[in-house]
Amino acid sequence: AGCTALIQAGDEDFGLAPLEANAAGRPVVAYGVSGALETVVDGVTGVLFHKPSPASLCDAMDDLESRTWDPHALRAHAASFSKDGFKRRIQEVVDDALGGRLPATRTG
């Protein structure tokens, strides 16, 4: 909670570390692959960088520092991945499938 931001420069399967930072009210700079794409909303809960290079990371860090981050919004985003939120989304997918509808896509 005392950091400026979390830097997630590697590939993580789910993106749990960015959610933990958001739960502490902190934004994330994350390499935009795999799990980070599931949990980081670019420009909202953090900044994604797409090239595994120092220059790309530095550009993302500059972008992050140029923005104002709302700790309450970051915490709310992390809370949307709670156990209850997961159960709700699974139930929606099952209900859609039983109703013959395509599952809703998650946009963040």
Side-chain angles (χ1 to χ4, degrees):
C3 68
T4 299
L6 169 75
I7 297 175
Q8 176 72 42
D11 185 351
E12 186 181 349
D13 290 344
F14 174 68
L16 185 58
L19 286 176
E20 290 172 339
N22 288 163
R26 300 295 181 225
V28 177
V29 173
Y31 182 39
V33 296
S34 302
L37 297 175
E38 297 294 325
T39 60
V40 179
V41 181
D42 197 18
V44 177
T45 65
V47 175
L48 297 173
F49 64 99
H50 300 285
K51 292 181 182 177
S53 70
S56 185
L57 173 59
C58 287
D59 288 346
M61 290 171 59
D62 288 343
D63 186 8
L64 180 122
E65 289 182 336
S66 73
R67 298 172 184 256
T68 301
W69 301 95
D70 178 358
H72 300 291
L74 297 173
R75 287 183 191 103
H77 172 71
S80 74
F81 286 85
S82 69
K83 182 178 177 180
D84 289 338
F86 178 78
K87 287 170 35 178
R88 184 182 80 269
R89 286 191 300 276
I90 290 292
Q91 187 63 55
E92 289 170 359
V93 169
V94 170
D95 290 347
D96 285 346
L98 292 174
R101 298 178 300 274
L102 293 175
T105 57
R106 181 155 197 207
T107 59

